[in-house]
């Protein structure tokens, strides 16, 4: 799935969950007998006749609570994070696991990449994207930077990341963006 589809799915799920919470809360208000205090532009005599039955208040209250908790659970289930904070690395065994803090490794890689002339800022994170581990570096470069030098540095950092994490199943993605306003670059003579 594309990111737009995922974003749309989350928006729709949020709206549906919010509607379920509102409907459930309305049923709880109806069950509690406070519906008359809310002004309403419509009158439903047939529905109001159900209100006179002894089981109706318990049924609507129970249904309301189920809908409220179901809606909240549905919304919470769709708010997940795809970030990966730590990974098991080579050398792990049933006797113990070796784990690496991915944020620390990516901070170091970002620092190395930022040391290149023309790179203004770098942020890193590790995510699970479509079932694969991806180390992502988001870098902003100066408009006057040498793109071929930045590309070579990006390749070197990607190789170092894979070596540092010690895993063959991790991929590296470096997103380069160009700053809208340039800063003066330090001059090397």
């Amino acid at each position: 799935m594309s990111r737009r589809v995922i974003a749309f799915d989350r928006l729709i799920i949020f709206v549906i969950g919010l509607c379920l919470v509102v409907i459930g809360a309305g049923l709880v208000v109806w069950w509690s007998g406070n519906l008359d205090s809310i002004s309403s532009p419509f009158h439903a005599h047939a529905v109001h006749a159900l209100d006179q039955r002894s089981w109706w208040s318990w049924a609507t209250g129970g249904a309301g609570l189920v809908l409220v908790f179901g809606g909240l659970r549905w919304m919470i289930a769709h708010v997940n994070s795809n970030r990966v904070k730590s990974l098991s690395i080579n050398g792990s065994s049933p006797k113990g696991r070796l784990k690496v803090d991915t944020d620390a490794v990516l901070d170091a890689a970002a620092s190395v990449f930022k040391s290149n002339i023309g790179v203004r800022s770098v942020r890193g994170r590790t995510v699970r994207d479509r079932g694969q581990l991806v180390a992502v570096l988001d870098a902003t470069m100066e408009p006057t930077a040498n793109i071929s030098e930045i590309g070579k540095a990006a390749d070197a950092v990607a190789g170092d990341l894979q070596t540092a994490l010690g895993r063959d199943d991790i991929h590296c993605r470096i997103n380069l963006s160009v700053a809208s306003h340039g800063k003066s670059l330090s001059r090397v003579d």
Side-chain angles (χ1 to χ4, degrees):
M1 280 193 293
S2 70
R3 288 193 175 112
R4 286 183 184 167
V5 171
I6 292 171
F8 182 74
D9 177 55
R10 288 184 180 167
L11 176 68
I12 294 300
I13 294 303
F14 177 76
V15 170
I16 290 172
L18 194 60
C19 288
L20 288 175
V21 169
V22 169
I23 290 169
L27 288 175
V28 170
V29 168
W30 188 0
W31 168 69
S32 68
N34 294 329
L35 191 61
D36 295 334
S37 64
I38 300 172
S39 63
S40 174
F42 63 90
H43 298 285
H45 297 291
V47 176
H48 191 61
L50 283 175
D51 193 19
Q52 305 306 321
R53 304 205 185 238
S54 63
W55 58 267
W56 182 252
S57 62
W58 291 103
T60 57
L65 288 175
V66 167
L67 287 174
V68 166
F69 289 120
L72 290 173
R73 173 66 178 104
W74 195 359
M75 286 189 298
I76 289 169
H78 279 80
V79 179
N80 61 352
S81 175
N82 59 352
R83 289 201 64 162
V84 177
K85 297 287 187 184
S86 66
L87 291 172
S88 296
I89 57 174
N90 291 338
S92 296
S93 69
K95 294 181 182 179
R97 288 189 185 166
L98 297 175
K99 291 201 171 243
V100 63
D101 178 13
T102 58
D103 288 340
V105 173
L106 284 167
D107 286 346
S111 170
V112 168
F113 193 51
K114 188 177 176 184
S115 69
N116 291 289
I117 294 176
V119 178
R120 183 183 289 186
S121 65
V122 183
R123 290 179 299 131
R125 65 190 184 285
T126 305
V127 296
R128 191 167 297 280
D129 187 11
R130 295 178 214 134
Q132 299 201 356
L133 289 171
V134 182
V136 181
L137 290 175
D138 296 313
T140 303
M141 59 185 222
E142 299 296 337
T144 57
N146 184 341
I147 191 69
S148 63
E149 292 298 320
I150 301 279
K152 289 177 187 174
D155 287 340
V157 167
D160 291 345
L161 260 175
Q162 195 160 21
T163 302
L165 292 172
R167 297 197 39 155
D168 295 332
D169 62 341
I170 194 159
H171 303 279
C172 186
R173 181 174 61 220
I174 299 178
N175 301 320
L176 293 174
S177 61
V178 179
S180 57
H181 301 291
K183 288 183 180 177
S184 62
L185 299 176
S186 59
R187 190 164 191 152
V188 178
D189 292 323

